[in-house]
Amino acid sequence: DNKDLVLLDFWVSPFGQRCRIALAEKGIPYEYSEQELLGTKSDLLLRSNPVHKKIPVLLHAGRPVCESLVILNYLDEAFPSAARSLLPSDPYARARARFWAAYSDKVYELGTKLWKLRGEEERAQARDELVQVLRNLDGELGDKEFFGGGEFAFVDVAVVTFMPWLPSYERYGGFTVKETAPRLAAWARRCGERESVAKSLHSPEKVDEFITMLKKFYGIE
Ligand SMILES: N[C@@H](CCC(=O)N[C@@H](CSO)C(=O)NCC(=O)O)C(=O)O
């Protein structure tokens, strides 16, 4: 295995999965290092990301790169001869891709509130905001095959890892993706046919079990 590249990760993390999909798409070998997050974090993780103490962290020749989208950008720049790039070459297209990839984090941020917040009002607010985020993503995708246009690229990698979480968000939030963002739902199925995606994502059932476990862990009914 390639000691030069180590990914500190957590099996169900959509942020870590972004990196796994990018590395697979680019054909870059690396060592996967599963981290303990709910118990005692490893010294390696705490040393590598002392600011956020979060995964994913990419260790490249021992030097830590933190934040999933920063890692995706870094992979394009540090491995220019890899099988493919994820960002387009045009500066304006790159700017738009970075905007939408960063925006998609809201899916997870708001979705988490649906199962974590105790107040009915706060949950309803989070639901309404999440529905709007999904509508905006659906609008940006439009009738394109992928967010990257004709090819699966940067924004697609950023967004697709949240898809297995949506069935749980639908149930906790009381909405359907089919009605809210039908083109996004179809796009998610298309992405799931790619090997890099299929081998990195877990099933909605597994994700839902994980959420149930987290609710118990946090003592949320
Ligand atoms: N903005 C960051 C988010 C990473 C993150 O939330 N990592 C979580 C696991 S996935 O939900 C994490 O490491 N949590 C540990 C903790 O919060 O203690 C990114 O894009 O990399």
Coordinates of all heavy atoms in Angstrom, one line a residue, residues 25-74:
E25 N -11.7 8.0 -8.7 CA -11.9 8.5 -10.0 C -10.5 8.9 -10.6 O -10.3 8.8 -11.8 CB -12.7 9.8 -9.9 CG -14.2 9.6 -9.7 CD -14.9 9.1 -11.0 OE1 -14.5 9.5 -12.1 OE2 -15.9 8.3 -10.9
K26 N -9.6 9.3 -9.8 CA -8.3 9.7 -10.3 C -7.3 8.6 -10.3 O -6.1 8.7 -10.8 CB -7.7 10.9 -9.4 CG -8.6 12.1 -9.4 CD -8.3 13.1 -8.4 CE -7.2 14.0 -8.8 NZ -7.5 14.9 -10.0
G27 N -7.7 7.4 -9.8 CA -6.8 6.2 -9.9 C -5.6 6.4 -9.0 O -4.5 5.9 -9.4
I28 N -5.7 7.1 -7.9 CA -4.6 7.3 -7.0 C -4.6 6.3 -5.9 O -5.6 6.3 -5.1 CB -4.6 8.7 -6.5 CG1 -4.5 9.8 -7.6 CG2 -3.4 8.9 -5.5 CD1 -4.7 11.2 -7.2
P29 N -3.6 5.4 -5.7 CA -3.6 4.5 -4.6 C -3.3 5.2 -3.3 O -2.6 6.2 -3.2 CB -2.5 3.5 -4.9 CG -1.6 4.3 -5.9 CD -2.4 5.3 -6.6
Y30 N -3.9 4.7 -2.2 CA -3.7 5.3 -0.9 C -4.0 4.3 0.2 O -4.6 3.3 0.0 CB -4.6 6.6 -0.7 CG -6.0 6.2 -0.6 CD1 -6.7 6.1 0.6 CD2 -6.8 6.0 -1.8 CE1 -8.1 5.8 0.6 CE2 -8.1 5.7 -1.8 CZ -8.8 5.6 -0.6 OH -10.1 5.3 -0.5
E31 N -3.5 4.6 1.5 CA -3.8 3.8 2.6 C -5.0 4.4 3.3 O -5.0 5.5 3.7 CB -2.6 3.7 3.6 CG -2.9 2.8 4.8 CD -1.8 3.0 5.9 OE1 -0.7 3.3 5.5 OE2 -2.2 2.9 7.1
Y32 N -6.1 3.5 3.6 CA -7.3 4.0 4.3 C -7.0 3.8 5.8 O -6.6 2.7 6.2 CB -8.5 3.2 3.8 CG -9.8 3.6 4.5 CD1 -10.6 4.6 4.0 CD2 -10.1 3.0 5.7 CE1 -11.8 4.9 4.6 CE2 -11.3 3.4 6.4 CZ -12.1 4.3 5.8 OH -13.3 4.7 6.5
S33 N -7.3 4.8 6.6 CA -7.1 4.6 8.0 C -8.4 5.0 8.8 O -8.7 6.2 8.9 CB -5.9 5.5 8.5 OG -5.9 5.5 9.9
E34 N -9.1 4.0 9.2 CA -10.4 4.2 9.9 C -10.1 4.8 11.3 O -9.2 4.3 12.0 CB -11.1 2.8 10.1 CG -12.5 2.9 10.8 CD -13.6 3.6 10.0 OE1 -13.3 4.0 8.8 OE2 -14.7 3.8 10.6
Q35 N -10.8 5.9 11.6 CA -10.6 6.6 12.9 C -11.7 6.3 13.8 O -12.9 6.2 13.4 CB -10.4 8.1 12.6 CG -9.2 8.4 11.8 CD -7.9 8.0 12.6 OE1 -7.7 8.4 13.7 NE2 -7.1 7.2 11.9
E36 N -11.4 6.3 15.1 CA -12.4 6.3 16.2 C -12.9 7.7 16.4 O -12.0 8.6 16.7 CB -11.8 5.7 17.4 CG -12.6 5.8 18.7 CD -14.0 5.2 18.5 OE1 -14.0 4.0 18.0 OE2 -15.0 5.9 18.8
L37 N -14.2 8.0 16.3 CA -14.6 9.4 16.5 C -15.5 9.6 17.7 O -15.5 10.6 18.4 CB -15.5 9.8 15.2 CG -14.8 9.9 13.9 CD1 -15.7 10.5 12.9 CD2 -13.5 10.8 14.0
L38 N -16.3 8.5 18.1 CA -17.2 8.7 19.2 C -16.5 8.4 20.5 O -17.0 8.8 21.5 CB -18.4 7.7 19.0 CG -19.2 8.0 17.7 CD1 -20.3 7.0 17.5 CD2 -19.8 9.4 17.8
G39 N -15.4 7.7 20.4 CA -14.6 7.5 21.7 C -13.4 8.4 21.7 O -13.5 9.6 21.5
T40 N -12.3 7.8 22.0 CA -11.0 8.5 22.1 C -10.4 8.7 20.8 O -10.1 7.7 20.1 CB -10.0 7.8 23.1 OG1 -10.7 7.5 24.3 CG2 -8.8 8.7 23.4
K41 N -10.2 9.9 20.3 CA -9.6 10.1 19.0 C -8.1 9.8 19.1 O -7.4 10.1 20.1 CB -9.8 11.6 18.6 CG -11.3 11.8 18.2 CD -11.5 13.3 17.9 CE -13.0 13.5 17.6 NZ -13.3 15.0 17.4
S42 N -7.6 9.3 18.0 CA -6.1 8.9 17.9 C -5.2 10.2 18.0 O -5.6 11.3 17.6 CB -5.8 8.2 16.6 OG -5.9 9.1 15.5
D43 N -4.0 10.0 18.5 CA -3.1 11.1 18.6 C -2.8 11.6 17.2 O -2.6 12.8 16.9 CB -1.8 10.6 19.2 CG -1.9 10.4 20.7 OD1 -2.9 11.0 21.3 OD2 -1.1 9.7 21.3
L44 N -2.8 10.6 16.2 CA -2.5 11.0 14.8 C -3.5 12.0 14.3 O -3.2 13.0 13.7 CB -2.4 9.7 13.9 CG -2.2 9.9 12.5 CD1 -0.8 10.6 12.2 CD2 -2.2 8.6 11.7
L45 N -4.8 11.7 14.6 CA -5.9 12.6 14.1 C -5.8 13.9 14.8 O -5.8 15.0 14.2 CB -7.3 12.0 14.4 CG -8.5 12.9 14.1 CD1 -8.5 13.4 12.7 CD2 -9.8 12.1 14.4
L46 N -5.6 13.9 16.1 CA -5.5 15.2 16.9 C -4.3 16.0 16.5 O -4.3 17.2 16.4 CB -5.4 14.9 18.4 CG -6.7 14.2 19.0 CD1 -6.5 13.8 20.4 CD2 -7.9 15.0 18.8
R47 N -3.2 15.3 16.1 CA -2.0 16.0 15.7 C -2.2 16.5 14.2 O -1.7 17.6 13.9 CB -0.8 15.0 15.6 CG 0.4 15.3 16.5 CD 1.6 14.4 16.4 NE 1.6 13.4 15.4 CZ 1.4 12.1 15.7 NH1 1.2 11.7 17.0 NH2 1.5 11.1 14.7
S48 N -2.9 15.8 13.4 CA -3.1 16.1 12.0 C -4.1 17.2 11.8 O -3.9 18.0 10.9 CB -3.5 14.8 11.2 OG -2.5 13.8 11.4
N49 N -5.1 17.2 12.6 CA -6.1 18.3 12.5 C -6.5 18.9 13.9 O -7.6 18.7 14.4 CB -7.4 17.7 11.8 CG -8.4 18.8 11.5 OD1 -8.2 20.0 11.7 ND2 -9.5 18.4 10.9
P50 N -5.5 19.6 14.5 CA -5.7 20.1 15.8 C -6.8 21.1 15.9 O -7.4 21.3 16.9 CB -4.3 20.7 16.2 CG -3.7 21.0 14.9 CD -4.2 19.9 13.9
V51 N -7.1 21.8 14.8 CA -8.1 22.9 14.8 C -9.5 22.3 14.9 O -10.3 22.6 15.8 CB -8.0 23.8 13.6 CG1 -9.1 24.8 13.5 CG2 -6.6 24.5 13.6
H52 N -9.9 21.4 14.0 CA -11.2 20.9 14.0 C -11.3 19.5 14.6 O -12.4 19.1 15.0 CB -11.8 20.8 12.5 CG -11.9 22.1 11.8 ND1 -12.7 23.1 12.3 CD2 -11.3 22.6 10.7 CE1 -12.6 24.2 11.5 NE2 -11.8 23.8 10.5
K53 N -10.2 18.8 14.7 CA -10.2 17.4 15.3 C -11.2 16.5 14.5 O -12.0 15.8 15.2 CB -10.5 17.4 16.8 CG -9.5 18.3 17.6 CD -9.8 18.3 19.1 CE -8.8 19.1 19.9 NZ -8.8 20.5 19.5
K54 N -11.3 16.7 13.2 CA -12.3 16.0 12.4 C -11.6 15.2 11.3 O -10.5 15.6 10.9 CB -13.3 16.9 11.8 CG -14.3 17.6 12.8 CD -15.3 18.5 12.1 CE -16.2 19.1 13.2 NZ -17.6 18.9 12.9
I55 N -12.3 14.2 10.8 CA -11.9 13.5 9.5 C -12.7 14.1 8.5 O -13.8 14.7 8.8 CB -12.1 12.0 9.6 CG1 -13.5 11.6 9.8 CG2 -11.2 11.4 10.7 CD1 -14.4 11.4 8.7
P56 N -12.4 14.1 7.2 CA -11.2 13.5 6.7 C -10.0 14.3 6.8 O -10.1 15.6 6.7 CB -11.5 13.2 5.2 CG -12.5 14.4 4.9 CD -13.3 14.6 6.1
V57 N -8.8 13.7 6.9 CA -7.5 14.3 6.8 C -6.7 13.5 5.8 O -6.7 12.3 5.9 CB -6.8 14.4 8.1 CG1 -5.4 15.1 7.9 CG2 -7.6 15.1 9.2
L58 N -6.1 14.2 4.8 CA -5.3 13.4 3.9 C -3.8 13.7 4.3 O -3.4 14.9 4.4 CB -5.5 13.9 2.4 CG -4.6 13.2 1.3 CD1 -5.1 11.8 1.1 CD2 -4.6 14.0 0.0
L59 N -3.1 12.7 4.6 CA -1.7 12.8 4.9 C -0.8 12.6 3.6 O -0.8 11.4 3.2 CB -1.2 11.9 6.0 CG -2.0 12.1 7.4 CD1 -1.6 11.0 8.4 CD2 -1.6 13.5 8.0
H60 N -0.2 13.6 3.1 CA 0.6 13.4 1.9 C 2.0 13.6 2.3 O 2.5 14.7 2.7 CB 0.2 14.5 0.8 CG 0.8 14.2 -0.5 ND1 0.8 15.2 -1.5 CD2 1.5 13.2 -1.0 CE1 1.4 14.7 -2.6 NE2 1.9 13.5 -2.3
A61 N 2.8 12.5 2.2 CA 4.2 12.4 2.7 C 4.2 13.0 4.1 O 5.1 13.9 4.5 CB 5.1 13.2 1.8
G62 N 3.2 12.7 4.9 CA 3.1 13.0 6.3 C 2.6 14.4 6.6 O 2.3 14.8 7.7
R63 N 2.3 15.2 5.5 CA 1.8 16.6 5.7 C 0.3 16.5 5.6 O -0.3 16.1 4.6 CB 2.4 17.5 4.6 CG 3.9 17.6 4.8 CD 4.5 18.7 3.9 NE 4.1 18.5 2.5 CZ 4.4 19.4 1.6 NH1 5.1 20.6 1.9 NH2 4.1 19.2 0.3
P64 N -0.5 17.0 6.6 CA -1.9 16.9 6.7 C -2.6 18.0 5.8 O -2.2 19.1 5.8 CB -2.3 17.1 8.1 CG -1.1 17.9 8.7 CD 0.1 17.5 7.9
V65 N -3.6 17.5 5.0 CA -4.5 18.4 4.3 C -5.9 18.1 4.9 O -6.4 17.0 5.0 CB -4.6 18.1 2.8 CG1 -5.5 19.1 2.1 CG2 -3.2 18.1 2.2
C66 N -6.5 19.2 5.5 CA -7.8 19.0 6.2 C -9.0 19.7 5.4 O -8.7 20.6 4.6 CB -7.7 19.7 7.5 SG -6.4 19.1 8.6
E67 N -10.2 19.2 5.6 CA -11.4 19.6 5.0 C -11.6 19.0 3.6 O -10.8 19.1 2.7 CB -11.4 21.2 4.8 CG -11.6 21.9 6.1 CD -13.0 21.7 6.8 OE1 -14.0 21.9 6.1 OE2 -13.0 21.2 7.9
S68 N -12.7 18.3 3.5 CA -12.9 17.4 2.3 C -12.8 18.2 1.0 O -12.2 17.7 0.0 CB -14.3 16.8 2.4 OG -15.4 17.8 2.4
L69 N -13.4 19.4 0.9 CA -13.3 20.1 -0.4 C -11.9 20.7 -0.7 O -11.5 20.8 -1.8 CB -14.4 21.2 -0.4 CG -15.8 20.7 -0.4 CD1 -16.8 21.9 -0.5 CD2 -16.1 19.7 -1.5
V70 N -11.2 21.0 0.4 CA -9.8 21.4 0.3 C -9.0 20.2 -0.3 O -8.2 20.4 -1.2 CB -9.2 21.9 1.6 CG1 -7.7 22.2 1.5 CG2 -9.9 23.2 2.1
I71 N -9.3 19.0 0.2 CA -8.6 17.8 -0.2 C -8.9 17.6 -1.7 O -8.0 17.3 -2.5 CB -9.0 16.6 0.7 CG1 -8.5 16.8 2.1 CG2 -8.5 15.3 0.0 CD1 -9.0 15.8 3.1
L72 N -10.1 17.8 -2.1 CA -10.5 17.6 -3.5 C -9.7 18.5 -4.4 O -9.2 18.1 -5.5 CB -12.0 17.7 -3.7 CG -12.8 16.4 -3.8 CD1 -12.5 15.5 -2.6 CD2 -14.3 16.8 -3.9
N73 N -9.7 19.8 -4.0 CA -8.9 20.8 -4.8 C -7.4 20.4 -4.8 O -6.7 20.4 -5.8 CB -9.0 22.1 -4.1 CG -10.3 22.9 -4.6 OD1 -10.4 23.4 -5.7 ND2 -11.3 22.8 -3.7
Y74 N -6.9 20.0 -3.6 CA -5.5 19.6 -3.5 C -5.2 18.4 -4.4 O -4.1 18.4 -5.1 CB -5.2 19.2 -2.1 CG -3.7 18.8 -1.8 CD1 -2.7 19.8 -1.7 CD2 -3.4 17.5 -1.7 CE1 -1.4 19.4 -1.5 CE2 -2.1 17.1 -1.4 CZ -1.1 18.1 -1.3 OH 0.2 17.7 -1.1

